[in-house]
Amino acid sequence: MKQYRTLLFDVDDTILDFKAAEALALRLLFEDQTIPLTAEMKTQYKTIKVCGEPLKKEK
């Protein structure tokens, strides 16, 4: 039998559900700080996470 020195696992969204963990962590963070987490805040978070920039509000 062949012996391996290194074994790698692809766990992101294969073994672990990162989207669910991220949503739970965000919710728990806001609960801990007693700040209501609104749908707008979630959208803003996702935008910053993906683009690195907050959404600009149109006037």
Side-chain angles (χ1 to χ4, degrees):
M1 174 187 252
K2 186 173 183 177
Q3 292 186 352
Y4 294 94
R5 293 180 50 192
T6 305
L7 183 61
L8 301 175
F9 290 97
D10 180 15
V11 297
D12 56 332
D13 289 329
T14 304
I15 296 173
L16 304 175
D17 188 347
F18 279 96
K19 290 177 184 142
E22 178 181 45
L24 176 61
L26 189 63
R27 183 177 60 82
L28 292 175
L29 170 69
F30 275 73
E31 283 178 8
D32 184 61
Q33 298 300 310
T34 62
I35 301 170
L37 180 59
T38 65
E40 183 180 358
M41 290 171 150
K42 289 178 187 178
T43 300
Q44 187 78 4
Y45 169 78
K46 288 176 184 175
T47 301
I48 293 169
K49 183 183 80 162
V50 172
C51 314
E53 297 178 12
L55 287 174
K56 294 186 174 79
K57 291 197 175 209
E58 294 182 23
K59 296 181 181 181

